[in-house]
Each structure stands twice: as structure tokens, then as C-alpha cells.
Amino acid sequence: MPTVDEARAWYPAQDPVHGYDHVLRVLHMAERIGNELGADLEVLRAAALLHDASGAAPGPGGGRKTHEQASAAFAADVLRGEGWPAEKIEQVAHCIRAHRYRGSEAPRTLEAMILYDADKLDVVGAFGVARTIGYALQAGEPVFAEPSSQFRRGGQGEAGEPHSAYHEFLFKLRHVADRLHTEPGRRIGRTRSALMQRFFEQLEAEAAGNDG
Ligand SMILES: [Fe+2]
Ligand SMILES: [Fe+2]
């Protein structure tokens, strides 16, 4: 079984978005929901610890868009090295391949649904706000830029329009909690998402000097 100490070596310590801290939060949330729903905790823990292990950090090369595939392959190597049976390795690999919001593989098993929810719960709520701003800054984008009407209509920015943290909220984050798979995930997501919503509405109001 991969351990949290091993996982520390697979992730950057100082990355506020996809670093080791994120992985620990996902692990603990996956365990919490997994216990409530009676999931296979061995599969779930291995999947949580390995889910972003390869290519999740933003940067040149665009590897982030396929990091679920790369991380699933990396996980299979690690678990084969530990002597896991092929069937269990595939269960873990499926969880990892299916954890992306815009991914091509939908979660089919209880464990995959729980990993998906645990990962997405870390992008809504207080940590979600912090990580979204961290991601924008890592990518050289502003915290806030006024979205064009074209972006507000269809999510497609005009030429040269920055993709600010606020854009990411409008385009994706405000919908995430509605698309969770488990009952505990949806319950926790509602509270977290309400907080995030208030934050970004206030951000927009302050940017326009409309608050208070
Ligand atoms: Fe990921
Ligand atoms: Fe993640």
C-alpha cells in the first residue's frame, strides 16, 4: 500500500494548487466519504495518493490536460512494483483516469465517484478560492479581469482576453458542486460552493467599486 510518506516524494511541496497538501486533503475527504458509503478504502487511498502524481502542475507542454492518463500509468507501475493483483490495479487506475472535470472517462465505480467528489471539493470552498487564485498567478493571469459579454454568454473569451480567476469561477467553478456523484459530496459541496460564490461576487463588486 502506498503511504503518505511515499506520496510526499511524488508531489511538489510548495505548489499551492496540485502539491502534497492538496493530495492530503483529497485523501482525508475520500476516506471520510468512503467510510460513510462503505467503499473499498484500499483502492480509494491508493487512488487518492497517486491521482495527480504525473503532470498535474501547469507549465509548457500542456501535460496537464492528460495528467489523469499519465498519473494512472504511474500508479499502475507503483502498484505492480508492490505486487498488487492486476484487477485491483485497474480499479485504482480507473479512479485516477476518471477524476478530471473535463476528462473523457466518467467514474463508473463507487471508489471512482468518491475520488472525483473528494478532488472537486478541494476546488470549491475556501481552499478552492485559494487554489484558483494560486493557479491564475502560476499561469500569469490576473485575479480579476472584466469578462467580455462574449465570454459571459458562451465561455469563449475575445482575442487577448485574460482568463482570470474570476473567469474560471464563471466558466467552471460555480457549476462543479452541481455535478458531484455522491450524497455526502453534494452535501459538503453545497456549503463550500456558497462560500466561494459569495467571495467571487464580492470580488466583482469591489473591482467595480460597487460594494458596501
Ligand atoms: Fe487532477
Ligand atoms: Fe487533484
Side-chain angles (χ1 to χ4, degrees):
M1 177 66 207
T3 64
V4 287
D5 282 333
E6 276 176 279
R8 197 190 297 272
W10 298 329
Y11 295 94
Q14 297 305 331
D15 180 341
V17 183
H18 288 103
Y20 181 61
D21 292 357
H22 162 67
V23 170
L24 287 188
R25 286 191 301 273
V26 171
L27 173 68
H28 294 146
M29 182 56 75
E31 287 176 334
R32 175 180 163 187
I33 299 177
N35 271 318
E36 192 171 332
L37 299 182
D40 181 332
L41 291 181
E42 203 181 19
V43 166
L44 199 47
R45 282 194 190 110
L49 286 171
L50 284 152
H51 82 279
D52 280 334
S54 186
R64 220 188 106 59
K65 294 208 164 105
T66 53
H67 80 273
E68 74 281 20
Q69 303 290 344
S71 299
F74 178 79
D77 281 348
V78 168
L79 299 178
R80 254 194 305 273
E82 289 193 9
W84 280 44
E87 184 197 331
K88 277 239 163 184
I89 294 175
E90 176 46 31
Q91 288 174 25
V92 172
H94 167 62
C95 293
I96 297 176
R97 287 196 306 268
H99 88 271
R100 258 192 79 213
Y101 185 71
R102 301 180 183 99
S104 55
E105 186 166 327
R108 288 188 308 269
T109 61
L110 176 62
E111 290 75 23
M113 290 177 194
I114 293 172
L115 178 68
Y116 181 99
D117 285 11
D119 187 54
K120 298 308 157 259
L121 285 170
D122 205 44
V123 81
V124 296
F127 274 106
V129 169
R131 292 177 68 226
T132 303
I133 290 174
Y135 187 82
L137 300 179
Q138 280 179 345
E141 301 286 358
V143 174
F144 181 87
E146 183 60 42
S148 62
S149 49
Q150 179 180 304
F151 185 86
R152 285 184 186 273
R153 274 196 313 274
Q156 196 65 257
E158 290 173 350
E161 180 172 345
H163 190 84
S164 70
Y166 184 73
H167 282 67
E168 186 66 4
F169 164 71
L170 281 186
F171 177 64
K172 168 182 163 185
L173 298 177
R174 62 189 170 135
H175 305 299
V176 168
D178 297 332
R179 297 181 192 173
L180 298 179
H181 297 280
T182 68
E183 192 286 319
R186 285 192 289 270
R187 186 183 72 227
I188 300 162
R190 269 193 296 278
T191 311
R192 292 191 178 192
S193 199
L195 172 80
M196 178 184 61
Q197 185 109 12
R198 278 204 304 283
F199 174 87
F200 279 107
E201 282 167 4
Q202 175 74 12
L203 190 74
E204 184 190 25
E206 290 185 22
N210 277 335
D211 58 310

